[in-house]
Amino acid sequence: MQFTRSQIIFIAIGGFIGILLLLVLFGVLPGRRENLNVTELTVWGVEDTRVFKNIIEQFEALHPGIAISYKKFEENTYEKSLLNALAAGEKPDVLMFENNWLLKHGGKLAPAPAEKMSPAMVQSLFPKVVEQDFVAGGQVYALPLYIDTLALAYNRDLFDKAGIVFPPTTWEEVGNTVDALRVLNGKNLERGAYAIGGTSKGAQNAVDVVQALLLQGGVEMINEKHTSALFAKEEGKKMFAMYTRFSDPSSAFYSWNDSMQEAKESFTKGGATAFFTYSKELSDLKARNAFLDIGVAPLPQLDPSEEVNVADYWGLAVFNGSAHPSESWDFVVFATTNTNATNTYLALTGNPPALRSLIQETQENPEIGVFAKQALTARSWLQPGEDVVRGAFDEAIALVLSKELTPERAIQKAEATVTEALRGK
């Protein structure tokens, strides 16, 4: 049988294609076989997809055998969504992890191999607070994307009108300037001075201020075994009573109360001269009132020579159910320590840096310099859960303001609540 010229060409082309497919299948040529060896990682977090897109692309360019996908969750429901997803059998390789979660959720994490990240490396790369939050038992469980700290936002115009040249640097100065800043109509507070002394209902960061005072006072928050809260000893009682006097109408330091408009809203409308905030909240303040002249000052201290601040931030961790923990930790280390990656993240979010090298470069930044510098002196403690701690202190504050308990008895009740949570009751 003779083939026509067209048939011969068709058979030759078909044979050539068949040979190529066989070579690809057996790995002689790149193609489908190579794709079968790609390691796929999933990252879960609360940041917009665009924030991680460039970081992921940078990492994939350096690791062509790894492909990463990102899943975004809403921040206010992230913890619940995370637990529900894990219970349903879904699992990430890498997840965003809040700085106060280690005691509560550390059992869900795979610690870093020592050769990739050790406690000594954490100490050299990041401020001390990271070690307190993310290192336990000689192992590293997470690394920070950024570190935000609590500072004082104040209305420059109202401070100027009150004749206060500089914002307070100590809590004593805070108390001494209350009378000049507040506006009283008889016993009624028409304009607050500092939004402090009440619960989280009136001022979002109220419990953070309480914790800052306790830590500045050198109060030991829990025991070494993490089984008992200890913050209701004498110094703790003193610090807590100092906090609540700012919402006591009979006190010379009466500055704020929970019946006033929420602190952030009140501040933007001139109903409060100052309140305590994190850098992530500043853009919202400016959006609410573009004409407000906002100053930002460091958190007041008990003793300026022994500065202690508090931090709030997210890190990245590796889920202990990941099939690729080594590659996952490679991504975590890259995203949090590679200068290009971290600069990309910070530029897109506006957050203060976590790396010591970048904190050094950012200290004079007019927008985030105050927050960045304070990270170096931020301190923390392992908590049984933010909701437990916030609820315990809010209840204690409310009991004092309602005159149901003295500050001393109220903080003892809060201590008992936290101890119960630590013991899993």
Side-chain angles (χ1 to χ4, degrees), residues 48-329:
D48 288 339
T49 302
R50 66 183 181 88
V51 172
F52 275 103
K53 181 177 182 294
N54 190 269
I55 298 172
I56 289 173
E57 289 175 351
Q58 291 179 47
F59 181 79
E60 288 177 339
L62 295 172
H63 302 79
I66 298 177
I68 299 177
S69 60
Y70 177 75
K71 183 176 181 179
K72 180 188 182 301
F73 293 80
E74 294 301 319
E75 183 171 351
N76 60 347
T77 58
Y78 177 59
E79 184 178 14
K80 182 178 179 181
S81 298
L82 182 67
L83 295 176
N84 288 340
L86 294 177
E90 296 181 60
K91 57 183 181 181
D93 295 286
V94 176
L95 65 154
M96 286 185 66
F97 195 80
E98 201 163 5
N99 71 299
N100 53 26
W101 278 4
L102 188 59
L103 204 57
K104 187 177 183 181
H105 296 306
K108 301 175 179 68
L109 304 182
E115 68 274 11
K116 294 184 187 292
M117 185 59 59
S118 66
M121 294 165 71
V122 169
Q123 291 174 356
S124 66
L125 289 167
F126 304 105
K128 184 179 181 65
V129 69
V130 176
E131 182 185 3
Q132 293 178 323
D133 285 332
F134 288 156
V135 177
Q139 293 184 300
V140 179
Y141 286 87
L143 294 176
L145 287 161
Y146 68 97
I147 299 176
D148 203 354
T149 58
L150 192 67
L152 177 69
Y154 64 98
N155 185 319
R156 281 198 179 98
D157 291 334
L158 294 180
F159 267 65
D160 288 345
K161 289 177 181 177
I164 300 173
V165 178
F166 301 109
T169 59
T170 67
W171 291 107
E172 182 180 10
E173 290 176 1
V174 170
N176 291 340
T177 53
V178 164
D179 190 53
L181 292 169
R182 69 184 177 186
V183 174
L184 286 171
N185 182 3
K187 293 185 178 180
N188 295 321
L189 195 60
E190 292 190 347
R191 186 181 77 202
Y194 303 90
I196 179 178
T199 67
S200 300
K201 173 187 174 183
Q204 180 179 347
N205 300 316
V207 173
D208 294 36
V209 178
V210 173
Q211 293 182 74
L213 281 167
L214 293 171
L215 291 170
Q216 288 179 10
V219 174
E220 185 178 4
M221 302 298 288
I222 60 174
N223 64 358
E224 291 184 1
K225 294 183 179 180
H226 312 140
T227 56
S228 296
L230 303 173
F231 51 75
K233 294 182 179 180
E234 288 311 306
E235 192 61 27
K237 293 175 182 177
K238 178 182 175 183
M239 292 298 100
F240 186 67
M242 173 181 167
Y243 174 83
T244 57
R245 71 181 181 177
F246 287 100
S247 280
D248 181 358
S250 65
S251 168
F253 303 106
Y254 182 40
S255 179
W256 184 256
N257 66 65
D258 275 355
S259 66
M260 301 180 74
Q261 195 172 30
E262 192 275 328
K264 187 187 295 185
E265 185 69 15
S266 182
F267 176 75
T268 58
K269 293 182 177 180
T273 57
F275 88 115
F276 298 90
T277 185
Y278 291 95
S279 72
K280 61 187 177 184
E281 298 166 349
L282 285 182
S283 59
D284 181 41
L285 291 178
K286 294 173 181 177
R288 294 185 187 210
N289 187 347
F291 301 101
L292 189 65
D293 188 4
I294 303 173
V296 177
L299 185 70
Q301 301 290 317
L302 281 178
D303 180 358
S305 67
E306 297 290 338
E307 189 174 341
V308 177
N309 291 288
V310 291
D312 181 65
Y313 58 97
W314 288 87
L316 288 177
V318 174
F319 177 54
N320 64 5
S322 170
H324 309 287
S326 180
E327 294 88 344
S328 297
W329 265 107

Side-chain angles (χ1 to χ4, degrees), residues 43 78 111 114 132 137 205 240 263 286 306 331-332 354 376 384 389-390 400 409:
V43 178
Y78 177 59
Q132 293 178 323
N205 300 316
F240 186 67
K286 294 173 181 177
E306 297 290 338
F331 176 74
V332 170
L376 298 171
V389 173
R390 188 172 299 278
V400 173
R409 292 289 302 278

